[in-house]
Amino acid sequence: MLSSSSFRLLWIYLSHWELSNHMIIFKTTRIFRVFGQKQRKLQSSWLQNHPWMRYSVSTDALYCAYCVLFSSKDSKEKSFSKTPVSDWKNLPLIVKRHESSTQHQGCVVSSSEYLRIMENKSFSIASMISTSYKTNVATNRHVLEKIIEVILLCGRQNIPLRGHVEERSNFMAILHEKAKADNILSDHLAFSAASRAKYTSPDIQNELVELCGTEVLNQVIGACKSASCFAVIADECTDKATKEQMSLCLRFLDVEKNNNVIIREEFVGFRHAESVKGAAISDLIVRFLADLELDINKIRAQCYDGAANMAGKYSGVQARILQLNPEANYIHCKAHALNLALIHSSKDVCVRNMMSTVQEIAFSFDYSAKRLLAFSEELSDNQNVKEQLDKRTKLRTLCETRWSSRADSLFTFLNAFPVVVSSLEALKDDRDEKAAQYVNAILKFDFMIALVVAEHLLSATVALTNYLQKTDINLLDAVQEARIVVQRLDNERTDPNVWTALFEKAVKVGEEFEIPPSTPRRAGRQMHRQNHPINDPSEYWRVSLYLVFLDHLVTEITSRVIKNEGRFSAEYLIPSKLQALTDQTTNSIFETFHVDLGDRQAFDDEVARWKIRWDMVDGQRPQKLLETLNATNKDLYPNIYAILTVLLTMPVSSASSERSFSAMRRIKSYLRATMGDERLSNLSILHIHRARSVNITDIIDKFSVKKNRRFNFV
């Protein structure tokens, strides 16, 4: 590209202005040349008749202005360009040959085009090429944008992209539907078929799914890195392809736009666990965190279920992580702990037999169309039961992993008891042998009283079970709610009206089937059954069933859920509990959190100022941990802020990982069992974090530079 000054000189040289100057020079200077005995001179008519001709005083020869400037270096025609002409005798013949040459004609055209372009009378070839290139890039980016939109839609809504035949897959169907209103996309799909460069192949899908998943994951990891600490939540489960998948979630604090702190538990992906031993799982977690570029020293808690490979004291995952970071306190999932408390408290023979019978009957109705039809017909005839079931149309089965299923199953069975009996009797008349056995098992007073008592006591834990699965709660609130449940059960134990109401309810259920209250036969040498010397049925079942079950349940919840943690001493920093903060408690708090605190003297001074700060408040003081953190100035009380942050970062349950397995079962179904691990993880991220936005422009830029592409995108 010529500079403006060079262009100006070139323009002058090519213009007729210089030709007129040549004429002035020619008139004032007579140019002669001796050839043999004759004297020849340069004719002025030559310059007038041939505008391309220029005379050089220094070389005393003629040049072609166009060929000098625009001829190529490899040109064979050298006259008037590389070799000047000074043969005045043969000049007319040389000029004629030069003007007819292809080189000269091409240079004349080039010079004319150049002048027109510089005068903005036409577009240059480079400009036209550049415009075409930009149009091509815009078209390619538009097509790829639509492809990414379809992938995001399928990923977020868990719509399988592929099919048995690629042309009939959901991805292609949605893409062609979008093409009906998009001419550019329609042309691309129509004309790219022959070139096979449609960017819709499974490999391209995997690349785009990975880029989109990474984009969402980076948002989560970026927020986690900005937090001062985080917690790890992990669990493993077998997928549809019988491969063990480990789910990893992170818990950390994030600051909203209004400067309020919120608690976040975020799923970050699945990893294939080739072994479920503690060493293998812990190594997998460490490598996973390294890939995410997260500092393992910032972990302040780890939460798993109570399996031996996870919670083992010496070789479990939590023990191995503690060796790498002693501050990563292990927390047994409180929801799992409550579930274990319910399981262990239900080991009483009468309760265990009752639950086993309920489970068998529920399964028999759930997996048999004939029995379910009989139940539905009996239910439609009993309006009373139908209203009590609250739109339930079938019995609920007991599920070991669905924590609130026990109480729900017992509630449904108790309220639908008349319908269950009538439907079983109808099946019995239809020669269903199992139905006859079930009728005999449930039409007993010991079954009815156990059903009523277990349903009542377990229903007291349903709200706590659901509360423990939330992501925005903390350990202090969770333990407080567990204490409330225990206190409620203790109050009911000493309240005779509660037992009287339960016994009367069981008697009422039995009256409908003419079953009076009774006690089991006493055996003097029986060691595995309650043999209380009590003849009154109400008192017998209160002592042998109700009190035993209630006391066992309270003991299990207290020992498993309400477990004293060393970090719980920090609850006395909450303004509503400051009056109970003693010097001994202050020492305990500092020793527990010393890694995240500064100098001891600075901490003591900060606590003293903290007490004065809230003594001066006349209004209502914060009563919750998160409320206290949002009311704490990080610059004035850095140590207290750090303590509250660590305490809020500690998870309550591993429900987030459990929920990710539900997503995994929806994504990797039996029709998609061959899905790769990377694709599973990225699709799970898109599905679970469906509310997060993805910058498609950035995705296209990253896609274009990942490898050489047949289409231009930048």
Side-chain angles (χ1 to χ4, degrees):
M1 188 71 181
L2 294 174
S3 63
S4 58
S5 58
S6 300
F7 165 66
R8 193 177 300 110
L9 291 174
L10 175 62
W11 198 352
I12 292 172
Y13 190 58
L14 292 176
S15 65
H16 292 284
W17 179 87
E18 191 181 26
L19 179 59
S20 61
N21 279 277
H22 270 285
M23 295 302 298
I24 295 172
I25 297 171
F26 183 72
K27 289 178 180 178
T28 57
T29 306
R30 307 291 292 185
I31 303 173
F32 295 96
R33 185 70 47 78
V34 177
F35 292 95
Q37 301 296 323
K38 294 185 178 181
Q39 192 178 46
R40 303 285 185 180
K41 68 176 180 178
L42 178 62
Q43 303 292 327
S44 60
S45 59
W46 294 345
L47 297 176
Q48 292 176 341
N49 296 333
H50 307 288
W52 50 266
M53 194 179 292
R54 298 291 185 273
Y55 173 73
S56 172
V57 177
S58 60
T59 60
D60 188 25
L62 292 174
Y63 289 88
C64 175
Y66 304 125
C67 294
V68 168
L69 295 173
F70 293 98
S71 63
S72 63
K73 295 180 179 179
D74 301 331
S75 174
K76 295 180 180 180
E77 181 68 30
K78 298 182 179 180
S79 298
F80 290 105
S81 58
K82 297 180 181 179
T83 304
V85 177
S86 58
D87 186 359
W88 306 150
K89 178 181 178 181
N90 299 311
L91 187 62
L93 181 62
I94 298 173
V95 168
K96 185 177 180 180
R97 186 173 61 244
H98 179 72
E99 287 183 332
S100 62
S101 66
T102 305
Q103 173 189 312
H104 175 76
Q105 294 173 0
C107 292
V108 171
V109 173
S110 299
S111 63
S112 301
E113 287 296 319
Y114 180 81
L115 291 175
R116 275 202 299 271
I117 290 169
M118 301 310 293
E119 290 174 341
N120 295 324
K121 294 180 180 180
S122 65
F123 297 103
S124 66
I125 296 175
S127 176
M128 289 188 288
I129 293 175
S130 177
T131 303
S132 175
Y133 181 83
K134 290 179 181 178
T135 304
N136 186 29
V137 167
T139 301
N140 295 338
R141 291 180 72 92
H142 176 81
V143 170
L144 191 59
E145 179 182 350
K146 299 305 174 184
I147 293 173
I148 295 173
E149 287 177 358
V150 174
I151 289 176
L152 287 175
L153 173 64
C154 293
R156 288 166 174 167
Q157 298 302 120
N158 188 28
I159 302 174
L161 275 78
R162 301 180 189 172
H164 291 294
V165 181
E166 183 182 349
E167 290 73 17
R168 298 174 57 188
S169 64
N170 293 327
F171 171 74
M172 293 304 298
I174 298 174
L175 196 61
H176 280 285
E177 192 66 27
K178 290 175 72 72
K180 291 180 180 179
D182 191 326
N183 294 331
I184 297 177
L185 180 60
S186 178
D187 293 342
H188 171 79
L189 296 176
F191 295 111
S192 295
S195 63
R196 305 181 66 85
K198 293 189 293 185
Y199 285 89
T200 58
S201 67
D203 291 337
I204 295 297
Q205 291 177 25
N206 285 340
E207 287 189 46
L208 293 175
V209 166
E210 180 184 359
L211 289 172
C212 293
T214 304
E215 174 81 7
V216 174
L217 183 60
N218 287 339
Q219 297 178 24
V220 175
I221 299 304
C224 183
K225 287 180 179 179
S226 63
S228 58
C229 59
F230 64 93
V232 172
I233 304 172
D235 203 354
E236 73 276 349
C237 180
T238 305
D239 64 15
K240 198 63 182 178
T242 323
K243 296 170 66 176
E244 199 74 19
Q245 299 288 348
M246 186 201 72
S247 168
L248 183 67
C249 298
L250 303 176
R251 179 182 169 105
F252 55 91
L253 302 186
D254 194 11
V255 181
E256 292 183 313
K257 292 182 179 179
N258 57 2
N259 292 328
N260 281 340
V261 176
I262 59 172
I263 302 171
R264 290 173 55 182
E265 286 185 7
E266 302 286 3
F267 168 77
V268 294
F270 290 115
R271 286 293 174 92
H272 177 212
E274 297 180 356
S275 171
V276 294
K277 293 183 179 179
I281 296 294
S282 60
D283 290 343
L284 189 59
I285 292 175
V286 171
R287 291 198 305 271
F288 203 158
L289 295 175
D291 293 341
L292 298 176
E293 298 181 356
L294 293 174
D295 187 3
I296 195 173
N297 294 318
K298 292 177 66 176
I299 299 177
R300 289 298 175 267
Q302 45 180 329
C303 182
Y304 319 117
D305 57 22
N309 64 331
M310 305 298 286
K313 185 177 180 180
Y314 299 104
S315 58
V317 174
Q318 64 93 11
R320 294 177 180 276
I321 297 294
L322 276 174
Q323 292 176 359
L324 300 175
N325 181 5
E327 297 302 315
N329 285 18
Y330 166 63
I331 298 170
H332 184 190
C333 170
K334 298 300 181 183
H336 278 95
L338 179 59
N339 189 49
L340 289 174
L342 299 180
I343 292 173
H344 283 264
S345 60
S346 302
K347 284 186 176 180
D348 179 81
V349 176
C350 188
V351 176
R352 186 182 63 209
N353 292 340
M354 179 272 299
M355 286 190 171
S356 176
T357 303
V358 170
Q359 178 73 321
E360 286 185 25
I361 295 175
F363 268 120
S364 69
F365 280 107
D366 197 27
Y367 292 102
S368 171
K370 176 183 175 181
R371 292 169 181 167
L372 183 59
L373 179 61
F375 180 84
S376 301
E377 290 175 350
E378 294 293 334
L379 181 62
S380 61
D381 294 338
N382 195 325
Q383 195 62 30
N384 251 349
V385 174
K386 196 172 183 179
E387 291 177 0
Q388 292 177 358
L389 288 182
D390 191 24
K391 297 182 179 180
R392 293 179 174 91
T393 59
K394 58 191 296 188
L395 298 178
R396 302 296 176 90
T397 58
L398 293 168
C399 180
E400 293 292 332
T401 57
R402 201 167 63 244
W403 296 315
S404 61
S405 67
R406 281 184 178 78
D408 192 27
S409 178
L410 296 180
F411 171 83
T412 306
F413 197 94
L414 178 60
N415 285 279
F417 193 80
V419 174
V420 173
V421 174
S422 59
S423 57
L424 286 175
E425 288 179 341
L427 292 168
K428 176 183 175 182
D429 296 339
D430 199 21
R431 298 182 179 180
D432 189 329
E433 295 181 0
K434 281 285 186 180
Q437 297 176 15
Y438 294 148
V439 169
N440 294 333
I442 65 177
L443 290 182
K444 295 179 180 179
F445 188 77
D446 57 349
F447 177 88
M448 297 176 186
I449 189 66
L451 177 63
V452 171
V453 170
E455 189 276 330
H456 173 74
L457 293 179
L458 293 184
S459 64
T461 65
V462 172
L464 178 61
T465 300
N466 296 330
Y467 181 73
L468 293 178
Q469 298 177 47
K470 292 186 175 181
T471 60
D472 58 347
I473 62 172
N474 58 78
L475 279 175
L476 295 182
D477 291 343
V479 170
Q480 180 63 26
E481 291 300 322
R483 290 195 182 110
I484 292 173
V485 172
V486 169
Q487 186 61 47
R488 174 192 171 183
L489 294 175
D490 285 338
N491 294 341
E492 289 185 352
R493 190 183 194 283
T494 58
D495 188 353
N497 295 326
V498 175
W499 167 247
T500 302
L502 291 175
F503 187 76
E504 290 178 354
K505 187 175 182 179
V507 171
K508 186 177 179 180
V509 172
E511 285 177 352
E512 187 174 348
F513 304 98
E514 299 179 355
I515 300 175
S518 60
T519 60
R521 182 176 60 86
R522 234 178 12 254
R525 296 185 178 182
Q526 178 61 260
M527 303 299 294
H528 300 288
R529 185 173 63 189
Q530 299 291 348
N531 281 295
H532 301 287
I534 303 173
N535 294 324
D536 179 31
S538 175
E539 186 63 19
Y540 176 85
W541 290 113
R542 187 184 76 86
V543 173
S544 63
L545 175 63
Y546 176 66
L547 295 182
V548 173
F549 191 12
L550 189 150
D551 291 342
H552 198 176
L553 182 59
V554 169
T555 303
E556 289 289 333
I557 294 177
T558 303
S559 61
R560 293 180 182 275
V561 183
I562 309 175
K563 189 177 180 181
N564 187 21
E565 298 279 352
R567 292 181 176 180
F568 283 4
S569 58
E571 68 177 312
Y572 295 105
L573 291 174
I574 298 176
S576 60
K577 300 180 181 180
L578 269 176
Q579 64 276 8
L581 183 63
T582 62
D583 292 340
Q584 183 178 358
T585 307
T586 303
N587 292 335
S588 175
I589 294 173
F590 182 82
E591 292 299 326
T592 304
F593 297 93
H594 69 280
V595 174
D596 299 294
L597 305 180
D599 181 68
R600 174 59 192 268
Q601 184 61 43
F603 174 71
D604 291 339
D605 294 342
E606 192 173 308
V607 171
R609 287 189 291 110
W610 183 252
K611 290 181 178 179
I612 297 173
R613 183 240 191 273
W614 291 107
D615 286 340
M616 297 173 64
V617 175
D618 298 330
Q620 188 176 3
R621 301 177 180 181
Q623 298 181 352
K624 298 292 184 180
L625 201 59
L626 185 59
E627 185 183 356
T628 302
L629 183 67
N630 284 320
T632 305
N633 190 311
K634 185 177 181 180
D635 298 326
L636 293 175
Y637 305 98
N639 291 317
I640 293 177
Y641 192 92
I643 293 171
L644 298 176
T645 298
V646 172
L647 201 54
L648 281 169
T649 303
M650 298 175 70
V652 175
S653 71
S654 60
S656 296
S657 290
E658 298 284 348
R659 280 189 285 269
S660 70
F661 294 137
S662 299
M664 180 185 72
R665 290 186 179 94
R666 293 192 297 269
I667 294 170
K668 196 169 185 178
S669 61
Y670 76 98
L671 289 175
R672 308 161 73 185
T674 59
M675 181 184 299
D677 296 332
E678 289 295 329
R679 186 181 176 93
L680 169 64
S681 184
N682 289 313
L683 285 177
S684 300
I685 290 173
L686 292 178
H687 180 53
I688 293 173
H689 300 287
R690 66 179 70 90
R692 288 188 174 273
S693 61
V694 174
N695 192 326
I696 297 181
T697 302
D698 290 346
I699 298 297
I700 295 175
D701 292 339
K702 293 175 182 177
F703 177 80
S704 63
V705 300
K706 191 174 182 181
K707 60 174 70 171
N708 292 329
R709 307 292 178 184
R710 295 183 64 179
F711 285 178
N712 297 315
F713 296 101
V714 290

